[in-house]
Amino acid sequence: QLQLVESGGGLVQPGGSLRLSCTASGFTLDLYAIGWFRQAPGKEREGVSCISSIGTSTNYAGSVKGRFTVSRDGVQNMVYLQMNSLKPDDTAVYYCAARMIRCSALAGDFASWGQGTQVTVSS
């Protein structure tokens, strides 16, 4: 099972930007579709974005489309989630997750998860 690690979370003011990173040690992420999910207190985990294994397909939730961009760097073995124009509603713990090849919007389709990184958007 992949061990994923997220980083890059923090406190940012509304309208600001953050870039989250997801990496794995000992495995190449190129073989896997990587999904980004988030969970706010008292709410269910929701899909935010996903990038397919060779990066030809990306998906976004309607609430983040046009503000978030997912990308991968095969050399660095990293997947990034660039988050711009952040809003207080974006406050949540963000997780990256892996499954073979194809994206899915369903958290249950992903077998490997990171520990999460907190994103707080507040003035």
Side-chain angles (χ1 to χ4, degrees):
Q1 194 171 15
L2 279 178
Q3 297 294 323
L4 302 174
V5 178
E6 304 95 338
S7 61
L11 173 64
V12 64
Q13 291 186 343
S17 298
L18 283 174
R19 188 178 76 163
L20 305 183
S21 301
C22 175
T23 192
S25 58
F27 296 87
T28 175
L29 292 181
D30 287 350
L31 298 176
Y32 298 88
I34 303 298
W36 286 96
F37 293 81
R38 66 187 181 187
Q39 188 164 18
K43 295 187 177 181
E44 293 188 356
R45 192 169 296 189
E46 64 171 343
V48 174
S49 182
C50 188
I51 185 166
S52 63
S53 62
I54 54 176
T56 57
S57 175
T58 57
N59 301 315
Y60 299 94
S63 60
V64 307
K65 195 171 292 184
R67 300 188 297 123
F68 290 11
T69 303
V70 62
S71 62
R72 61 165 76 233
D73 184 335
V75 174
Q76 298 294 328
N77 201 36
M78 301 281 274
V79 173
Y80 302 104
L81 184 67
Q82 178 67 43
M83 307 187 296
N84 299 329
S85 302
L86 283 162
K87 305 174 181 179
D89 284 350
D90 295 318
T91 296
V93 177
Y94 283 70
Y95 301 88
C96 66
R99 71 186 302 264
M100 291 300 294
I101 300 175
R102 294 181 181 180
C103 280
S104 172
L106 301 176
D109 287 343
F110 289 80
S112 301
W113 291 80
Q115 81 290 349
T117 185
Q118 176 70 46
V119 171
T120 303
V121 185
S122 175
S123 55

